[in-house]
Amino acid sequence: MAEVGPGGMGRIRRTVQFAALLITNGYWPGLGRIAIYSGPAKGVCVPFLNCYSCPAALFACPLGSLQSMLAAARTLPLYVSGMMLAAGFAVGRLFCGWLCPYGLLQEALALPRARRVRLPRWIRAPKYVLLALVVLLPVVWVSAGAGVPFFCKFICPAGTLEGGLVLALGRPELRVNIGWLFAWKVAVLTLFLALMPFIYRVFCRTACPLGAFYGLFNQVSLWRIERDRSRCRGCGTCVEVCPVGVPVVEKPNHPECIRCLECVKACPYGALAFTMTEVGKQGSGGTPRISNFKVRNGR
Amino acid sequence: MGCDIIVEEKHHVASRTKNKYTKNEYTGLPRKTGLALRFTGLWEGRCLRQFRGRRLAWAGLVAGVLLMAAGMARGEFIAVLYKASRICLECIGVG
């Protein structure tokens, strides 16, 4: 298991992540029979990646649903997009950090040093490109009379792991259909699995369109991280504990922030809070310069 | 005179010890003891006062919920259910 941050948020978050995994993938008979659940709960979209073709999945994946409905109807699906908007405006990327089962897998495989790896800025761009393609391609790329669910079909490693591999291994009649597409998807999954121990949440940071979408709302969401300027001394503890390399002091609600809240817990001055209220408006001073403060304090 | 200083010093030490667990030792500000205390916005009765700072978020949240309701009224819940209840071979890369 990955190293828990100094704030100790890891244990609470891990418990919540496991609970979410068990609740959203709680159809255990499906794993035994390799048959997917088809009850009414399957119509409910969860706000994070969870392949609905996984035999244990009880709920639907928003990205898969969005793409399949765009592909079928060529109009904006209000139900799925409304759910994603509401989730984004409520808490931003909190779902990535606290509920996503694929995020849990990435954290479980990450070595302690993976948290210290800082990625170049350009590596964040592909997920925004994929987000645009997720919306556009199912509408414009028509094959055999229907749009193509591009991301699920060609990229999604979560779908390959939870749905593709399980079904292909468990159901011999599906194996006859395996071809270059499955090989490509397994290669994508293998690539991400190989990188996970060395780069913390590599898929979330580089290729997850859902994370990219929620990240756009981090700055404006109802619950967001507030920095109390009167308390912040710019010690940089928050930046040091952040596993995804967010410049917390300058931009606490950065689009890359997965809201693991390690920074909130670690702040020695209680200057950070995850709240729906404005704080520190009356405080003096702007953004402290971390480097200057460290020099002044001989650190 | 000297006695006063000693008394004052003792009082200061006692005060510091007393405040060790209630105040931040660096800032002297009230110390927060757990994450639960950080999620205080809802319970401090400040929601309405703070509403103005979160207008966009509230508007977006309400719009999202209304869109969801409109989508469900259009039968999209059934469409998602229909799609998610069947194995999508193309989606998992088998087809």
Side-chain angles (χ1 to χ4, degrees):
Chain A
M1 194 62 73
E3 189 181 58
V4 172
M9 275 304 297
R11 200 180 301 163
I12 304 169
R13 199 160 62 87
R14 199 75 74 232
T15 309
V16 175
Q17 284 175 308
F18 269 114
L21 170 70
L22 292 176
I23 292 168
T24 54
N25 293 285
Y27 186 61
W28 301 110
L31 279 179
R33 291 187 281 118
I34 314 292
I36 65 173
Y37 170 72
S38 56
K42 214 53 181 289
V44 179
C45 278
V46 285
F48 46 84
L49 277 190
N50 193 53
C51 185
Y52 49 49
S53 290
C54 171
L58 281 172
F59 304 99
C61 172
L63 270 188
S65 304
L66 181 76
Q67 288 183 103
S68 62
M69 295 198 63
L70 279 171
R74 313 278 163 72
T75 56
L76 187 69
L78 300 181
Y79 168 56
V80 184
S81 53
M83 186 281 298
M84 288 167 65
L85 268 182
F89 273 116
V91 289
R93 272 188 96 167
L94 186 82
F95 300 109
C96 304
W98 287 75
L99 298 178
C100 182
Y102 202 64
L104 173 64
L105 172 76
Q106 292 178 82
E107 290 181 13
L109 293 180
L111 297 169
R113 65 179 173 175
R115 296 168 72 97
R116 290 191 288 275
V117 173
R118 296 289 179 255
L119 296 176
R121 288 182 67 175
W122 62 265
I123 207 101
R124 301 170 189 162
K127 63 176 178 283
Y128 296 102
V129 176
L130 287 172
L131 175 62
L133 295 180
V134 157
V135 179
L136 288 177
L137 283 188
V139 181
V140 297
W141 184 3
V142 180
S143 169
V148 175
F150 148 80
F151 183 75
C152 294
K153 185 172 181 176
F154 295 105
I155 310 285
C156 186
T160 312
L161 184 68
E162 296 172 16
L165 279 177
V166 176
L167 290 169
L169 290 173
R171 293 183 56 165
E173 74 272 19
L174 293 180
R175 266 179 249 155
V176 295
N177 295 322
I178 287 176
W180 68 268
L181 181 60
F182 191 72
W184 162 256
K185 285 203 72 181
V186 171
V188 172
L189 171 66
T190 309
L191 174 70
F192 279 113
L193 285 175
L195 289 173
M196 279 174 202
F198 309 106
I199 304 171
Y200 188 84
R201 283 191 174 242
V202 61
F203 174 71
C204 306
R205 293 161 78 181
T206 61
C208 182
L210 197 57
F213 179 79
Y214 288 141
L216 300 175
F217 296 92
N218 268 1
Q219 295 268 13
V220 294
S221 61
L222 196 55
W223 271 274
R224 54 183 182 243
I225 296 175
E226 293 280 352
R227 183 174 67 89
D228 190 338
R229 291 176 184 179
S230 62
R231 291 185 178 194
C232 181
R233 299 290 182 271
C235 64
T237 307
C238 48
V239 181
E240 281 169 24
V241 299
C242 180
V244 289
V246 167
V248 185
V249 180
E250 290 89 0
K251 208 172 180 182
N253 293 297
H254 195 279
E256 291 299 306
C257 173
I258 57 165
R259 300 205 157 151
C260 63
L261 307 185
E262 291 286 353
C263 54
V264 174
K265 188 74 178 173
C267 180
Y269 304 103
L272 294 170
F274 185 65
T275 174
M276 64 181 291
T277 61
E278 304 279 330
V279 296
K281 284 286 183 192
Q282 72 283 10
S284 58
T287 303
R289 294 182 63 178
I290 296 170
S291 54
N292 287 354
F293 187 81
K294 281 186 174 178
V295 170
R296 277 207 308 276
N297 286 277
R299 284 198 281 163
Chain B
M1 183 78 173
C3 200
D4 284 349
I5 292 171
I6 291 168
V7 169
E8 197 174 309
E9 180 69 17
K10 275 184 178 175
H11 176 74
H12 182 61
V13 169
S15 162
R16 227 171 38 187
T17 312
K18 184 184 166 191
N19 289 335
K20 188 178 174 186
Y21 299 105
T22 56
K23 290 191 174 179
N24 189 302
E25 58 185 302
Y26 301 105
T27 62
L29 295 167
R31 185 174 176 164
K32 291 187 175 180
T33 52
L35 187 73
L37 290 177
R38 316 277 168 108
F39 290 90
T40 49
L42 269 182
W43 296 278
E44 287 179 4
R46 293 187 294 176
C47 290
L48 285 176
R49 188 161 59 84
Q50 299 294 343
F51 175 78
R52 281 182 296 176
R54 296 283 201 273
R55 263 186 211 152
L56 180 62
W58 278 112
L61 186 61
V62 170
V65 172
L66 289 177
L67 280 175
M68 267 177 80
M72 289 175 88
R74 259 188 2 180
E76 290 179 5
F77 180 86
I78 303 297
V80 170
L81 175 63
Y82 182 81
K83 178 70 186 173
S85 302
R86 282 153 184 78
I87 296 173
C88 172
L89 294 180
E90 193 182 35
C91 298
I92 57 173
V94 174

